[in-house]
Amino acid sequence: MTAERTNLFDLPRARLESFMSAVDDKPYRTHQIMKWAYHERQLDFDGMTNLSKRFRAWLAEQSEYRLPEVVHRYESVDGTVKWVVRVGNGNCVETVLIPDKGRNTLCVSSQVGCMLDCTFCSTGKQGFNGNLSTGEIVGQVWLANAMLAERGESVSNVVLMGMGEPLLNFDAVVAATELMMDDLAFGISKRRVTVSTAGVVPAIYELAKVSDVSLAISLHAPNDALRNTLVPLNRKYPIAQLLDACRHYVEGLGERRSLTMEYTLIKGVNDELVHAKELAALLRDVRCKINLIPFNPFPASGFERPDPAAVRKFQTYLMNNGYATMLRTTRGDDIAAACGQLVGQVKDRTRRQERYLARVRAEEAGGSEELA
Ligand code: SAH
Protein backbone atom coordinates (compact mmCIF):
# COMPACT_ATOMS: atom_id res chain seq x y z
CA MET A 1 0.00 0.00 0.00
CA THR A 2 1.38 3.41 -0.89
CA ALA A 3 1.14 5.86 1.97
CA GLU A 4 -1.14 8.83 1.29
CA ARG A 5 0.67 12.11 0.98
CA THR A 6 0.25 14.55 3.88
CA ASN A 7 -2.57 17.01 3.25
CA LEU A 8 -1.02 20.39 4.11
CA PHE A 9 -4.53 21.78 4.78
CA ASP A 10 -4.40 19.57 7.89
CA LEU A 11 -1.49 21.50 9.36
CA PRO A 12 -1.73 24.79 11.23
CA ARG A 13 1.37 26.96 11.06
CA ALA A 14 3.41 25.37 13.89
CA ARG A 15 2.77 21.88 12.57
CA LEU A 16 3.62 22.90 9.02
CA GLU A 17 6.89 24.30 10.33
CA SER A 18 7.79 21.04 12.02
CA PHE A 19 6.74 19.05 8.95
CA MET A 20 9.09 21.14 6.86
CA SER A 21 11.94 21.01 9.32
CA ALA A 22 12.69 17.53 7.98
CA VAL A 23 14.15 19.15 4.89
CA ASP A 24 14.55 22.84 5.56
CA ASP A 25 14.44 24.63 8.90
CA LYS A 26 14.03 28.17 7.66
CA PRO A 27 10.71 29.48 9.02
CA TYR A 28 10.21 31.77 6.04
CA ARG A 29 9.60 28.67 3.92
CA THR A 30 6.42 28.08 5.89
CA HIS A 31 5.41 31.70 5.35
CA GLN A 32 6.02 31.43 1.63
CA ILE A 33 4.04 28.24 1.22
CA MET A 34 1.10 29.41 3.33
CA LYS A 35 0.90 32.69 1.44
CA TRP A 36 0.83 30.84 -1.86
CA ALA A 37 -1.84 28.42 -0.70
CA TYR A 38 -4.15 30.77 1.19
CA HIS A 39 -3.53 34.25 -0.25
CA GLU A 40 -2.63 33.51 -3.87
CA ARG A 41 -4.76 30.34 -3.95
CA GLN A 42 -1.90 28.55 -5.70
CA LEU A 43 -2.05 24.91 -4.60
CA ASP A 44 0.33 23.50 -7.18
CA PHE A 45 3.88 23.47 -5.84
CA ASP A 46 5.23 24.07 -9.33
CA GLY A 47 3.50 27.43 -9.32
CA MET A 48 5.22 28.47 -6.06
CA THR A 49 7.96 30.14 -8.01
CA ASN A 50 10.02 31.56 -5.15
CA LEU A 51 10.79 28.04 -3.87
CA SER A 52 13.75 26.14 -5.23
CA LYS A 53 13.07 23.34 -7.72
CA ARG A 54 14.54 20.76 -5.35
CA PHE A 55 12.35 21.92 -2.51
CA ARG A 56 9.25 21.86 -4.70
CA ALA A 57 10.07 18.33 -5.78
CA TRP A 58 10.45 17.24 -2.15
CA LEU A 59 7.13 18.85 -1.22
CA ALA A 60 5.34 17.18 -4.12
CA GLU A 61 6.70 13.81 -3.11
CA GLN A 62 5.65 14.13 0.52
CA SER A 63 2.56 16.25 0.45
CA GLU A 64 -0.21 18.06 -1.36
CA TYR A 65 -2.91 20.64 -0.77
CA ARG A 66 -5.96 18.38 -1.11
CA LEU A 67 -9.45 19.90 -1.25
CA PRO A 68 -12.72 18.08 -0.68
CA GLU A 69 -14.45 17.46 -4.01
CA VAL A 70 -17.47 19.65 -4.78
CA VAL A 71 -20.39 17.42 -5.79
CA HIS A 72 -23.09 20.11 -6.14
CA ARG A 73 -23.39 23.84 -5.80
CA TYR A 74 -26.82 25.42 -5.31
CA GLU A 75 -27.65 29.13 -5.35
CA SER A 76 -30.66 30.54 -3.59
CA VAL A 77 -32.71 33.44 -4.95
CA ASP A 78 -31.49 35.43 -1.91
CA GLY A 79 -27.79 34.93 -2.79
CA THR A 80 -27.13 32.13 -0.31
CA VAL A 81 -24.88 29.42 -1.77
CA LYS A 82 -24.75 25.81 -0.63
CA TRP A 83 -22.00 23.36 -1.53
CA VAL A 84 -22.22 19.61 -1.12
CA VAL A 85 -18.69 18.28 -0.73
CA ARG A 86 -17.42 14.72 -0.69
CA VAL A 87 -15.36 13.74 2.33
CA GLY A 88 -14.56 10.11 1.66
CA ASN A 89 -16.23 6.70 2.04
CA GLY A 90 -19.31 7.83 0.12
CA ASN A 91 -20.10 10.57 2.64
CA CYS A 92 -20.90 14.18 1.84
CA VAL A 93 -21.36 17.26 4.03
CA GLU A 94 -22.82 20.68 3.35
CA THR A 95 -21.36 24.19 3.57
CA VAL A 96 -23.41 27.37 3.31
CA LEU A 97 -22.34 30.90 2.37
CA ILE A 98 -24.64 33.70 3.55
CA PRO A 99 -23.83 37.09 2.02
CA ASP A 100 -25.44 39.91 3.98
CA LYS A 101 -24.80 43.66 4.00
CA GLY A 102 -21.13 43.47 3.10
CA ARG A 103 -20.48 40.42 5.29
CA ASN A 104 -19.85 36.95 3.93
CA THR A 105 -20.65 34.44 6.64
CA LEU A 106 -19.70 30.84 6.00
CA CYS A 107 -21.40 28.04 7.90
CA VAL A 108 -19.10 25.02 7.89
CA SER A 109 -19.60 21.38 8.88
CA SER A 110 -17.34 19.58 11.33
CA GLN A 111 -18.72 16.01 11.27
CA VAL A 112 -20.52 13.65 8.91
CA GLY A 113 -23.97 13.73 10.50
CA CYS A 114 -24.17 14.18 14.24
CA MET A 115 -24.30 11.92 17.29
CA LEU A 116 -26.45 14.19 19.42
CA ASP A 117 -29.92 13.85 17.86
CA CYS A 118 -31.50 17.09 19.03
CA THR A 119 -35.19 16.53 18.33
CA PHE A 120 -35.68 19.63 16.14
CA CYS A 121 -32.56 19.28 13.94
CA SER A 122 -32.59 17.33 10.69
CA THR A 123 -28.83 16.66 10.76
CA GLY A 124 -29.32 14.42 13.80
CA LYS A 125 -31.88 12.37 11.87
CA GLN A 126 -29.18 11.33 9.40
CA GLY A 127 -27.24 9.52 12.09
CA PHE A 128 -23.48 9.71 12.30
CA ASN A 129 -20.46 8.54 10.36
CA GLY A 130 -17.41 10.20 11.82
CA ASN A 131 -15.28 13.29 12.08
CA LEU A 132 -13.98 15.60 9.40
CA SER A 133 -10.26 16.22 9.27
CA THR A 134 -8.83 19.70 9.75
CA GLY A 135 -8.18 19.79 6.01
CA GLU A 136 -11.79 18.94 5.22
CA ILE A 137 -12.97 21.76 7.50
CA VAL A 138 -10.62 24.46 6.22
CA GLY A 139 -11.10 23.16 2.68
CA GLN A 140 -14.70 24.40 2.92
CA VAL A 141 -13.44 27.91 3.71
CA TRP A 142 -10.89 27.76 0.91
CA LEU A 143 -13.53 26.75 -1.65
CA ALA A 144 -15.88 29.57 -0.62
CA ASN A 145 -13.00 32.06 -0.76
CA ALA A 146 -12.11 30.90 -4.25
CA MET A 147 -15.65 31.64 -5.43
CA LEU A 148 -15.80 35.00 -3.62
CA ALA A 149 -12.42 36.05 -5.05
CA GLU A 150 -14.07 36.20 -8.47
CA ARG A 151 -15.98 39.24 -7.22
CA GLY A 152 -13.13 40.67 -5.17
CA GLU A 153 -14.52 39.47 -1.83
CA SER A 154 -13.63 36.92 0.83
CA VAL A 155 -15.17 35.05 3.75
CA SER A 156 -15.47 37.55 6.61
CA ASN A 157 -17.09 35.34 9.29
CA VAL A 158 -17.01 31.62 9.92
CA VAL A 159 -19.55 29.80 12.10
CA LEU A 160 -19.14 26.12 12.92
CA MET A 161 -22.88 25.68 12.73
CA GLY A 162 -23.13 23.25 9.86
CA MET A 163 -23.42 19.50 10.29
CA GLY A 164 -21.99 17.98 13.45
CA GLU A 165 -21.00 18.87 17.00
CA PRO A 166 -17.64 20.69 16.74
CA LEU A 167 -16.60 20.02 20.33
CA LEU A 168 -16.88 16.26 19.77
CA ASN A 169 -14.24 16.65 17.05
CA PHE A 170 -12.09 18.79 19.28
CA ASP A 171 -8.52 18.56 17.96
CA ALA A 172 -9.40 18.85 14.29
CA VAL A 173 -11.75 21.76 14.97
CA VAL A 174 -9.27 23.68 17.12
CA ALA A 175 -6.56 23.27 14.47
CA ALA A 176 -9.00 24.42 11.78
CA THR A 177 -9.95 27.54 13.77
CA GLU A 178 -6.23 28.31 14.20
CA LEU A 179 -5.90 28.42 10.42
CA MET A 180 -9.05 30.53 10.11
CA MET A 181 -7.56 33.11 12.51
CA ASP A 182 -3.94 32.95 11.25
CA ASP A 183 -2.90 35.98 9.18
CA LEU A 184 -0.86 33.72 6.94
CA ALA A 185 -4.00 31.71 6.21
CA PHE A 186 -7.52 33.19 6.34
CA GLY A 187 -6.75 36.00 8.80
CA ILE A 188 -10.24 36.28 10.29
CA SER A 189 -10.46 37.92 13.73
CA LYS A 190 -11.45 35.80 16.73
CA ARG A 191 -14.64 37.80 17.07
CA ARG A 192 -15.66 36.46 13.68
CA VAL A 193 -14.84 32.80 14.09
CA THR A 194 -17.51 31.05 16.15
CA VAL A 195 -17.62 27.51 17.48
CA SER A 196 -21.19 26.45 18.24
CA THR A 197 -21.96 23.67 20.71
CA ALA A 198 -24.99 21.89 22.08
CA GLY A 199 -23.14 21.99 25.41
CA VAL A 200 -20.25 19.53 25.75
CA VAL A 201 -19.22 20.96 29.12
CA PRO A 202 -15.74 19.41 29.64
CA ALA A 203 -14.74 20.44 26.11
CA ILE A 204 -15.67 24.08 26.86
CA TYR A 205 -13.11 24.06 29.71
CA GLU A 206 -10.55 22.49 27.37
CA LEU A 207 -11.29 25.09 24.72
CA ALA A 208 -10.65 27.87 27.24
CA LYS A 209 -7.11 26.51 27.69
CA VAL A 210 -6.18 26.56 24.01
CA SER A 211 -8.29 29.09 22.15
CA ASP A 212 -9.88 32.53 22.14
CA VAL A 213 -12.44 31.72 19.51
CA SER A 214 -16.00 33.03 19.95
CA LEU A 215 -18.44 30.58 21.47
CA ALA A 216 -22.13 29.98 20.72
CA ILE A 217 -24.29 27.76 22.90
CA SER A 218 -27.37 26.05 21.51
CA LEU A 219 -29.54 26.64 24.54
CA HIS A 220 -33.14 26.55 23.19
CA ALA A 221 -34.82 26.25 26.59
CA PRO A 222 -34.72 28.13 29.93
CA ASN A 223 -35.03 25.05 32.19
CA ASP A 224 -33.77 21.48 32.35
CA ALA A 225 -37.16 19.80 32.04
CA LEU A 226 -37.79 21.42 28.66
CA ARG A 227 -34.19 21.31 27.45
CA ASN A 228 -34.01 17.56 28.16
CA THR A 229 -36.76 17.04 25.58
CA LEU A 230 -35.01 19.13 22.90
CA VAL A 231 -31.30 18.54 23.47
CA PRO A 232 -30.76 15.02 24.87
CA LEU A 233 -27.18 15.96 25.83
CA ASN A 234 -28.71 18.13 28.57
CA ARG A 235 -29.33 15.00 30.66
CA LYS A 236 -25.58 14.55 30.85
CA TYR A 237 -24.65 18.22 31.20
CA PRO A 238 -27.57 20.17 32.68
CA ILE A 239 -28.01 23.93 32.33
CA ALA A 240 -26.34 24.94 35.62
CA GLN A 241 -23.13 23.12 34.66
CA LEU A 242 -23.30 24.51 31.15
CA LEU A 243 -23.64 28.11 32.37
CA ASP A 244 -20.73 27.63 34.80
CA ALA A 245 -18.59 26.57 31.87
CA CYS A 246 -19.81 29.57 29.86
CA ARG A 247 -18.95 32.03 32.63
CA HIS A 248 -15.54 30.43 32.89
CA TYR A 249 -15.05 30.79 29.13
CA VAL A 250 -15.96 34.48 28.85
CA GLU A 251 -14.26 35.53 32.05
CA GLY A 252 -11.11 33.53 31.43
CA LEU A 253 -7.71 35.14 31.71
CA GLY A 254 -6.54 37.48 29.03
CA GLU A 255 -8.83 39.34 26.71
CA ARG A 256 -12.51 38.62 27.12
CA ARG A 257 -14.15 36.25 24.73
CA SER A 258 -17.46 36.58 22.99
CA LEU A 259 -20.46 34.40 23.89
CA THR A 260 -23.81 34.00 22.15
CA MET A 261 -26.83 32.01 23.27
CA GLU A 262 -28.73 30.42 20.38
CA TYR A 263 -32.43 29.89 20.89
CA THR A 264 -34.49 28.15 18.21
CA LEU A 265 -38.10 29.27 18.65
CA ILE A 266 -40.58 26.42 18.20
CA LYS A 267 -44.31 27.05 18.13
CA GLY A 268 -46.08 26.07 21.33
CA VAL A 269 -42.92 24.49 22.73
CA ASN A 270 -40.54 27.21 23.91
CA ASP A 271 -41.83 30.43 22.30
CA GLU A 272 -44.12 31.87 24.95
CA LEU A 273 -43.62 34.92 27.12
CA VAL A 274 -43.12 32.76 30.22
CA HIS A 275 -40.11 31.21 28.47
CA ALA A 276 -38.68 34.62 27.60
CA LYS A 277 -39.06 35.70 31.23
CA GLU A 278 -37.43 32.54 32.54
CA LEU A 279 -34.61 32.92 30.01
CA ALA A 280 -33.94 36.53 30.97
CA ALA A 281 -33.74 35.54 34.64
CA LEU A 282 -31.53 32.53 33.89
CA LEU A 283 -28.96 34.55 31.95
CA ARG A 284 -28.86 37.51 34.32
CA ASP A 285 -25.24 36.92 35.35
CA VAL A 286 -23.91 35.54 32.06
CA ARG A 287 -22.29 38.09 29.76
CA CYS A 288 -23.80 37.13 26.41
CA LYS A 289 -25.83 38.11 23.38
CA ILE A 290 -28.92 36.17 22.36
CA ASN A 291 -29.65 34.89 18.86
CA LEU A 292 -33.23 33.86 18.12
CA ILE A 293 -33.78 31.44 15.24
CA PRO A 294 -37.35 30.73 14.14
CA PHE A 295 -37.62 26.97 13.63
CA ASN A 296 -36.95 25.78 10.07
CA PRO A 297 -39.23 22.89 9.17
CA PHE A 298 -38.18 19.55 7.65
CA PRO A 299 -40.20 16.40 6.88
CA ALA A 300 -41.72 14.54 9.85
CA SER A 301 -40.13 16.92 12.35
CA GLY A 302 -43.36 17.21 14.33
CA PHE A 303 -42.56 20.90 15.01
CA GLU A 304 -43.75 24.18 13.55
CA ARG A 305 -42.38 27.66 13.10
CA PRO A 306 -43.90 30.22 15.52
CA ASP A 307 -46.07 33.10 14.36
CA PRO A 308 -44.11 36.28 13.61
CA ALA A 309 -46.05 38.07 16.36
CA ALA A 310 -44.87 35.53 18.95
CA VAL A 311 -41.29 35.93 17.75
CA ARG A 312 -41.49 39.73 18.01
CA LYS A 313 -42.95 39.55 21.50
CA PHE A 314 -40.21 37.18 22.64
CA GLN A 315 -37.48 39.38 21.19
CA THR A 316 -38.97 42.59 22.55
CA TYR A 317 -39.16 41.17 26.06
CA LEU A 318 -35.48 40.20 26.02
CA MET A 319 -34.41 43.54 24.57
CA ASN A 320 -36.43 45.46 27.13
CA ASN A 321 -34.60 43.47 29.78
CA GLY A 322 -31.20 44.53 28.54
CA TYR A 323 -30.20 41.68 26.26
CA ALA A 324 -28.71 42.35 22.83
CA THR A 325 -31.04 40.06 20.92
CA MET A 326 -30.69 39.33 17.22
CA LEU A 327 -33.32 37.65 15.15
CA ARG A 328 -31.75 35.36 12.60
CA THR A 329 -33.69 35.74 9.39
CA THR A 330 -34.22 32.59 7.44
CA ARG A 331 -31.91 32.43 4.46
CA GLY A 332 -31.57 29.91 1.67
CA ASP A 333 -34.56 27.78 2.62
CA ASP A 334 -35.40 27.31 -1.09
CA ILE A 335 -32.19 25.27 -1.34
CA ALA A 336 -32.58 23.62 2.11
CA ALA A 337 -29.64 25.60 3.43
CA ALA A 338 -31.21 27.13 6.53
CA CYS A 339 -30.25 26.23 10.13
CA GLY A 340 -31.12 22.66 10.94
CA GLN A 341 -31.78 21.71 7.32
CA LEU A 342 -28.29 20.47 6.43
CA VAL A 343 -28.28 16.75 5.77
CA GLY A 344 -25.47 15.93 3.32
CA GLN A 345 -25.13 12.26 2.58
CA VAL A 346 -24.38 10.17 5.62
CA LYS A 347 -23.66 6.46 5.52
CA ASP A 348 -25.20 6.08 8.91
CA ARG A 349 -23.62 3.75 11.44
CA THR A 350 -26.37 4.19 14.01
CA ARG A 351 -29.61 3.07 12.23
CA ARG A 352 -31.12 6.38 13.22
CA GLN A 353 -31.47 7.40 9.58
CA GLU A 354 -33.45 4.23 8.84
CA ARG A 355 -35.90 4.92 11.64
CA TYR A 356 -36.26 8.55 10.58
CA LEU A 357 -36.94 7.64 6.93
CA ALA A 358 -39.58 5.16 8.07
CA ARG A 359 -41.31 8.03 9.91
CA VAL A 360 -41.13 10.26 6.82
CA ARG A 361 -42.64 7.50 4.67
CA ALA A 362 -45.39 6.89 7.20
CA GLU A 363 -46.21 10.59 7.30
CA GLU A 364 -46.29 10.79 3.50
CA ALA A 365 -48.55 7.77 3.29
CA GLY A 366 -50.83 9.27 5.96
CA GLY A 367 -50.90 12.55 4.04
CA SER A 368 -51.94 10.95 0.76
CA GLU A 369 -54.74 9.03 2.48
CA GLU A 370 -56.11 12.30 3.73
CA LEU A 371 -56.03 13.68 0.21
CA ALA A 372 -57.75 10.63 -1.24
N1 SAH B 1 -23.96 20.94 17.15
C1 SAH B 1 -23.68 22.34 17.17
C2 SAH B 1 -23.53 22.90 15.79
C3 SAH B 1 -24.79 22.87 14.94
S1 SAH B 1 -25.37 24.47 14.98
C4 SAH B 1 -24.72 23.05 18.01
O1 SAH B 1 -25.67 22.40 18.42
O2 SAH B 1 -24.55 24.22 18.31
C5 SAH B 1 -26.82 24.55 14.23
C6 SAH B 1 -27.67 25.64 14.89
O3 SAH B 1 -28.95 25.60 14.28
C7 SAH B 1 -27.88 25.32 16.34
O4 SAH B 1 -28.06 26.46 17.11
C8 SAH B 1 -29.13 24.50 16.24
O5 SAH B 1 -29.75 24.34 17.45
C9 SAH B 1 -29.92 25.27 15.23
N2 SAH B 1 -30.96 24.46 14.58
C10 SAH B 1 -30.95 23.13 14.42
N3 SAH B 1 -32.07 22.71 13.79
C11 SAH B 1 -32.79 23.81 13.55
C12 SAH B 1 -34.05 24.02 12.90
N4 SAH B 1 -34.75 23.02 12.39
N5 SAH B 1 -34.49 25.29 12.81
C13 SAH B 1 -33.77 26.30 13.32
N6 SAH B 1 -32.60 26.17 13.93
C14 SAH B 1 -32.10 24.93 14.05
Side-chain angles (χ1 to χ4, degrees):
M1 202 178 84
T2 51
E4 207 174 51
R5 286 193 292 252
T6 301
N7 184 4
L8 297 187
F9 279 126
D10 279 331
L11 307 183
R13 192 198 296 205
R15 285 178 51 204
L16 184 60
E17 262 167 23
S18 59
F19 175 78
M20 266 145 20
S21 64
V23 63
D24 185 332
D25 59 4
K26 301 181 194 74
Y28 68 83
R29 295 278 180 237
T30 303
H31 290 215
Q32 288 173 322
I33 292 173
M34 287 182 75
K35 280 188 182 160
W36 278 116
Y38 295 100
H39 297 180
E40 306 298 325
R41 282 178 304 285
Q42 172 59 267
L43 301 184
D44 182 351
F45 299 124
D46 275 335
M48 301 186 178
T49 47
N50 55 358
L51 305 178
S52 75
K53 275 216 163 110
R54 263 191 59 216
F55 189 45
R56 283 186 249 162
W58 180 84
L59 279 171
E61 214 167 85
Q62 305 291 322
S63 65
E64 64 186 323
Y65 273 106
R66 189 167 58 244
L67 286 169
E69 180 199 345
V70 177
V71 184
H72 294 291
R73 186 175 116 179
Y74 304 92
E75 270 196 71
S76 160
V77 289
D78 67 16
T80 302
V81 181
K82 177 170 93 173
W83 288 265
V84 179
V85 299
R86 202 186 303 285
V87 291
N89 301 326
N91 291 300
C92 293
V93 298
E94 301 188 337
T95 308
V96 179
L97 175 71
I98 308 137
D100 188 31
K101 301 186 198 93
R103 283 200 301 193
N104 286 306
T105 301
L106 191 70
C107 179
V108 308
S109 292
S110 58
Q111 294 186 311
V112 181
C114 190
M115 293 203 297
L116 295 182
D117 203 18
C118 299
T119 49
F120 56 90
C121 177
S122 63
T123 299
K125 310 299 162 229
Q126 309 304 305
F128 177 72
N129 196 282
N131 286 328
L132 299 197
S133 63
T134 298
E136 287 165 339
I137 299 169
V138 299
Q140 298 170 57
V141 186
W142 196 97
L143 286 166
N145 254 353
M147 188 204 89
L148 286 169
E150 291 166 19
R151 48 181 203 244
E153 297 176 24
S154 61
V155 171
S156 60
N157 299 58
V158 179
V159 292
L160 280 119
M161 295 185 186
M163 298 170 67
E165 168 49 52
L167 293 187
L168 292 180
N169 183 12
F170 191 86
D171 292 339
V173 161
V174 168
T177 57
E178 281 171 22
L179 282 163
M180 292 167 197
M181 297 186 283
D182 189 336
D183 286 338
L184 287 179
F186 299 105
I188 304 171
S189 89
K190 64 179 187 180
R191 301 253 149 211
R192 295 173 171 208
V193 176
T194 303
V195 169
S196 181
T197 179
V200 188
V201 165
I204 296 173
Y205 288 99
E206 287 308 304
L207 191 66
K209 290 182 195 158
V210 296
S211 183
D212 260 340
V213 77
S214 299
L215 187 64
I217 303 289
S218 291
L219 191 61
H220 311 309
N223 61 64
D224 284 324
L226 183 54
R227 193 165 192 265
N228 284 344
T229 68
L230 299 172
V231 182
L233 184 67
N234 194 68
R235 294 195 199 107
K236 194 160 178 193
Y237 305 117
I239 291 176
Q241 284 183 32
L242 179 56
L243 295 186
D244 278 345
C246 288
R247 278 184 288 261
H248 174 84
Y249 194 78
V250 284
E251 289 156 13
L253 292 175
E255 212 184 314
R256 285 175 153 202
R257 301 168 173 125
S258 133
L259 176 68
T260 306
M261 294 292 165
E262 312 272 319
Y263 195 103
T264 297
L265 287 162
I266 307 171
K267 185 175 189 167
V269 174
N270 64 356
D271 65 336
E272 283 149 39
L273 199 55
V274 288
H275 300 115
K277 286 182 181 167
E278 205 179 346
L279 184 65
L282 180 72
L283 298 178
R284 186 125 299 147
D285 62 346
V286 184
R287 205 176 49 82
C288 64
K289 294 174 294 192
I290 301 175
N291 245 338
L292 300 176
I293 318 164
F295 173 71
N296 292 309
F298 57 89
S301 73
F303 291 125
E304 285 171 64
R305 177 176 294 195
D307 302 321
V311 174
R312 267 198 303 278
K313 210 163 149 189
F314 202 97
Q315 183 184 22
T316 305
Y317 182 85
L318 292 174
M319 289 179 60
N320 288 345
N321 280 272
Y323 290 95
T325 309
M326 302 288 295
L327 180 62
R328 199 179 296 158
T329 49
T330 298
R331 297 284 305 265
D333 56 351
D334 56 332
I335 55 170
C339 300
Q341 294 184 324
L342 302 189
V343 295
Q345 181 183 318
V346 180
K347 296 235 161 128
D348 184 24
R349 296 181 185 162
T350 63
R351 299 199 60 207
R352 205 187 290 143
Q353 192 176 91
E354 210 175 289
R355 290 197 296 272
Y356 168 66
L357 291 175
R359 275 213 311 281
V360 173
R361 279 192 295 270
E363 188 174 84
E364 280 168 358
S368 55
E369 261 166 38
E370 274 168 32
L371 288 177

